[in-house]
Amino acid sequence: MATFIDMPKLSDTMTVGTVANWLKNEGDAIESGDVIAEIETDKATMELEAFEDGILLKQIAKAGEQVAIGAPIAAIGEEGEEVEVPDAPKAKSKSSDDKDEKEEAKAEDKSEKSDDAKSEASSSDDSRIKASPLAKKLAKSEGVDLSSIKGTGPNGRIVKQDVLDAKKSGGSSKPAKSDSKSKPSVTLPGLAIAEDADLPVSSMRGVIAKRLVESKVNAPHFYLQIEVNAANLLATRAKINADLANVPAEHGGGIKLTVNDFILKASAEALRRVPTMNRSWQGDTIRQNGAVHLAFGVAIEDGLLTPVIRNAESKTLKQIALEAKELIGKARNKKLSPAEMSDSTFTVTNLGMFGISSFYGIINTPNAGILSVGATENKPIVNEAGEIVPGQIMTIGVSCDHRAVDGAVGAQYLQALKTLLETPALSLI
């Protein structure tokens, strides 16, 4: 009897997973421990191992398909064995489809407000085909013939994914009908910047949206900002990198420190000096964290990941730099494990490399705060002698959860961090 492989729960917040790629084809021999697919969760793309020996009889879920946790995605068994896919996946996928259809209907309702509803309803032969409103709209815009598509939705209804699959496979298509009657004629001065489209929300983007809304709604943010003279920091970094360039890798060379490495190290050290900033809101209690598990933002194509450097307060600048580099590589390749992204106590986000002078991040709850780092800019400053001289100013800000910390704590943290960044040698002690 065939063994079904179900969609596993690979993170605490995961409710559905997407089959990113199949690494084994139907008919391939499988041994226990073989990686048969890559699963995209809300946080990363992870490998899926088989725990059965046999033949991959059927790929129940297609590549790119989103499947609820616990729903079967593949079957392994004896060669030639028939596979009867249980009704359960249909039932589970139905709930997903229903959700999709509600979202599609919502999107369609919204778009209909701006379209000519009459022309939409009366002029298309596709109106007799069972398809969701969004599928019809997508087929029309992409020039895909709905009559050539077999729907996979409830009762054979064509859904958005069916249209996308048909287009991807080069299925039958027909020229899109002119919608000149339903849309106002607009003369554009040039080409459109992009094609109009309703983009699907990935699992990761959905979780990001949910968590950030929860943070802004539930955590009362307040914001503090301070300017840092980064001249010594930049000079120290340049000197260290120049020295390391002449040191063989086996003797500790072969590494180039970034400004962000110094900021991460100083942030952790400042939390050692002001431990009350290293707290977490837990509802009935406020947790004072004994170690600094430092998260930092890494922008990727689909969103933002926050890998965590654990026990950052006890690590050297070089250790933090090497660990950050490894975690950034994993994040960009979607290879971070859930353990590498969980249980942070403070977060650092940096947009200085984009030339952003100052901003405030949204708190990564339950952290009590998030540090926002801007670009270093050339500005006139007044030195200790009262003279106006050129300066290199970096603006840093902190967003604090007022449930867990007060303004004085945030201010003390920024003062400590300013001291460490303006005298970077203190972080090396």
Side-chain angles (χ1 to χ4, degrees), residues 403-415:
R403 299 173 301 178
V405 296
D406 296 323
V409 172
Q412 290 166 4
Y413 174 74
L414 282 185
Q415 286 179 334

Side-chain angles (χ1 to χ4, degrees), residues 179-390:
D179 57 355
S180 59
K181 294 181 180 178
S182 60
K183 294 182 178 179
S185 177
V186 178
T187 301
L188 299 176
L191 296 175
I193 59 171
E195 184 177 353
D196 291 341
D198 294 320
L199 304 178
V201 177
S202 66
S203 299
M204 179 186 299
R205 177 55 60 185
V207 170
I208 290 173
K210 180 181 178 182
R211 292 208 61 208
L212 294 185
V213 168
E214 288 176 350
S215 176
K216 286 293 282 185
V217 170
N218 297 320
H221 288 51
F222 71 88
Y223 310 98
L224 301 171
Q225 190 176 85
I226 197 169
E227 288 189 342
V228 173
N229 187 342
N232 286 340
L233 169 63
L234 298 179
T236 300
R237 170 180 174 259
K239 180 67 170 59
I240 292 177
N241 281 339
D243 289 344
L244 288 176
N246 298 320
V247 177
E250 58 271 25
H251 293 153
I255 179 175
K256 189 173 183 179
L257 302 173
T258 67
V259 172
N260 201 54
D261 295 332
F262 281 87
I263 292 170
L264 292 176
K265 173 60 182 173
S267 299
E269 184 60 30
L271 289 170
R272 181 205 295 279
R273 299 186 177 196
V274 187
T276 45
M277 192 67 220
N278 194 39
R279 290 180 172 176
S280 303
W281 175 257
Q282 299 187 131
D284 295 333
T285 60
I286 298 174
R287 180 171 182 77
Q288 174 62 60
N289 297 293
V292 178
H293 301 319
L294 193 63
F296 61 100
V298 178
I300 62 172
E301 183 178 359
D302 298 335
L304 179 71
L305 294 175
T306 51
V308 178
I309 299 175
R310 301 192 180 282
N311 302 306
E313 82 287 353
S314 63
K315 294 182 176 176
T316 66
L317 174 62
K318 182 180 179 182
Q319 287 174 320
I320 286 178
L322 291 174
E323 190 166 337
K325 184 178 181 181
E326 180 183 358
L327 291 171
I328 290 171
K330 286 185 176 181
R332 290 176 176 165
N333 291 310
K334 296 187 176 181
K335 298 298 183 184
L336 287 171
S337 68
E340 291 172 315
M341 295 183 285
S342 59
D343 301 328
S344 67
T345 62
F346 191 79
T347 303
V348 176
T349 178
N350 187 348
L351 292 178
M353 65 286 285
F354 297 107
I356 302 300
S357 57
S358 64
F359 69 104
Y360 294 107
I362 297 176
I363 298 170
N364 181 22
T365 54
N367 294 178
I370 179 171
L371 180 74
S372 304
V373 182
T376 299
E377 301 176 299
N378 293 321
K379 289 183 176 180
I381 61 173
V382 179
N383 63 15
E384 295 180 353
E387 303 167 329
I388 298 177
V389 297

Side-chain angles (χ1 to χ4, degrees), residues 12-269:
D12 293 340
T13 54
M14 179 180 175
T15 58
V16 296
T18 301
V19 179
N21 292 298
W22 281 108
L23 303 180
K24 295 289 186 180
N25 298 315
E26 292 182 358
D28 285 353
I30 305 295
E31 293 184 359
S32 177
D34 283 353
V35 177
I36 62 172
E38 291 181 324
I39 304 298
E40 180 184 335
T41 73
D42 54 331
K43 294 180 177 178
T45 299
M46 306 177 72
E47 295 178 340
L48 175 65
E49 291 186 12
F51 296 98
E52 300 285 341
D53 295 336
I55 303 297
L56 180 58
L57 299 174
K58 189 174 184 60
Q59 297 171 346
I60 299 173
K62 301 175 184 176
E65 184 175 349
Q66 194 176 72
V67 181
I69 291 174
I73 59 175
I76 294 177
E78 300 293 334
E79 187 171 6
E81 188 176 352
E82 294 292 329
V83 177
E84 292 186 10
V85 180
D87 294 335
K90 284 292 183 185
K92 291 177 180 177
S93 62
K94 180 179 183 301
S95 63
S96 178
D97 286 344
D98 287 345
K99 182 180 178 182
D100 287 343
E101 286 165 11
K102 289 178 181 177
E103 294 176 351
E104 291 171 0
K106 186 177 179 181
E108 179 69 10
D109 289 343
K110 185 178 180 181
S111 64
E112 282 179 349
K113 292 179 181 177
S114 59
D115 291 337
D116 185 342
K118 292 182 179 180
S119 64
E120 189 77 18
S122 61
S123 62
S124 174
D125 293 338
D126 291 340
S127 61
R128 294 190 296 274
I129 299 174
K130 295 176 65 175
S132 70
L134 186 56
K136 289 181 179 178
K137 184 177 180 180
L138 184 61
K140 185 178 180 180
S141 65
E142 299 294 340
V144 176
D145 185 1
L146 284 176
S147 63
S148 66
I149 300 175
K150 184 178 180 180
T152 60
N155 300 317
R157 193 183 193 196
I158 299 171
V159 297
K160 178 180 65 178
Q161 189 62 47
D162 297 329
V163 179
L164 295 174
D165 291 343
K167 182 188 177 186
K168 186 177 180 181
S169 62
S172 176
S173 64
K174 61 183 180 181
K177 295 181 178 179
S178 171
D179 57 355
S180 59
K181 294 181 180 178
S182 60
K183 294 182 178 179
S185 177
V186 178
T187 301
L188 299 176
L191 296 175
I193 59 171
E195 184 177 353
D196 291 341
D198 294 320
L199 304 178
V201 177
S202 66
S203 299
M204 179 186 299
R205 177 55 60 185
V207 170
I208 290 173
K210 180 181 178 182
R211 292 208 61 208
L212 294 185
V213 168
E214 288 176 350
S215 176
K216 286 293 282 185
V217 170
N218 297 320
H221 288 51
F222 71 88
Y223 310 98
L224 301 171
Q225 190 176 85
I226 197 169
E227 288 189 342
V228 173
N229 187 342
N232 286 340
L233 169 63
L234 298 179
T236 300
R237 170 180 174 259
K239 180 67 170 59
I240 292 177
N241 281 339
D243 289 344
L244 288 176
N246 298 320
V247 177
E250 58 271 25
H251 293 153
I255 179 175
K256 189 173 183 179
L257 302 173
T258 67
V259 172
N260 201 54
D261 295 332
F262 281 87
I263 292 170
L264 292 176
K265 173 60 182 173
S267 299
E269 184 60 30

